[in-house]
Amino acid sequence: MAVPPEAVLGTTVAFSFILFGNAITQSFMGVPALLVDFPPPSSPDHAARARLLGRQWPVFWVVGNQFFRPISTLGIFGYAYTSWAASTKGPNGGLGDWRLYAISALCHLVTVVHSALNMQPINEKIDALSEPKGRVDTKQAENYARKWIKFNTVRLITPVVAGSLALFQILKK
């Protein structure tokens, strides 16, 4: 029994907006909350706060790796499947333009690749703050977190573009 493309599409659109909501939560609430009153590197309290940031970081990192990475990956496959299904049904087949679903799949692919290439090294640096031992510059702790927020913007934009393009196709019918 084949899975209806509409069911895959609906689930995948939901995944896109879940990822969007998570990125908003982490970038505008979660990580900034960890940085409230973060002391400057010259402060005697800086090392302890940097270590605390490193100890708190796995909460974000584990959720990202174990929950959101699979959702991003399923987004690639869900939109790719819908793109294929739309292309086989033709432009008047009810699913709309297959190319927009292909762009949505590409958005999720960008999210996964960006996470692996650009975000993972930052995650590792922040995580290493918990037990620095010369592996990471603790004076850069706040900068690492702010860079993470900045780079996470990609993971905010790509799923909302993907979900919006697909939703536009659904509503256009």
Side-chain angles (χ1 to χ4, degrees):
M1 177 170 145
V3 177
E6 295 82 4
V8 172
L9 178 58
T11 303
T12 308
V13 168
F15 286 165
S16 291
F17 287 104
I18 288 169
L19 290 168
F20 172 62
N22 175 65
I24 287 173
T25 301
Q26 288 187 332
S27 290
F28 296 109
M29 292 183 278
V31 178
L34 298 177
L35 298 178
V36 169
D37 294 330
F38 207 90
S42 59
S43 169
D45 297 330
H46 185 269
R49 278 298 297 276
R51 186 168 186 263
L52 178 61
L53 176 62
R55 291 178 58 222
Q56 293 168 323
W57 197 251
V59 174
F60 289 91
W61 198 5
V62 167
V63 169
N65 279 330
Q66 294 180 359
F67 185 69
F68 291 108
R69 183 184 299 164
I71 289 177
S72 294
T73 304
L74 288 172
I76 297 167
F77 293 117
Y79 287 128
Y81 173 74
T82 304
S83 179
W84 171 80
S87 74
T88 61
K89 291 184 178 197
N92 299 322
L95 287 173
D97 189 348
W98 67 270
R99 294 171 293 193
L100 294 179
Y101 299 121
I103 292 169
S104 294
L106 182 62
C107 284
H108 276 266
L109 179 62
V110 166
T111 301
V112 170
V113 171
H114 169 69
S115 295
L117 295 180
N118 301 317
M119 301 298 288
Q120 197 68 14
I122 301 170
N123 282 328
E124 290 169 0
K125 287 178 182 175
I126 298 171
D127 186 59
L129 292 168
S130 65
E131 294 294 331
K133 298 180 186 170
R135 298 181 298 156
V136 65
D137 183 0
T138 58
K139 291 182 174 149
Q140 294 297 315
E142 184 177 5
N143 290 335
Y144 294 147
R146 294 201 183 282
K147 184 176 182 180
W148 188 94
I149 291 169
K150 180 180 170 188
F151 278 29
N152 200 48
T153 303
V154 172
R155 298 194 306 190
L156 192 149
I157 294 169
T158 53
V160 80
V161 168
S164 296
L165 287 173
L167 191 57
F168 170 75
Q169 290 287 41
I170 295 167
L171 297 175
K172 195 170 105 171
K173 297 199 284 184

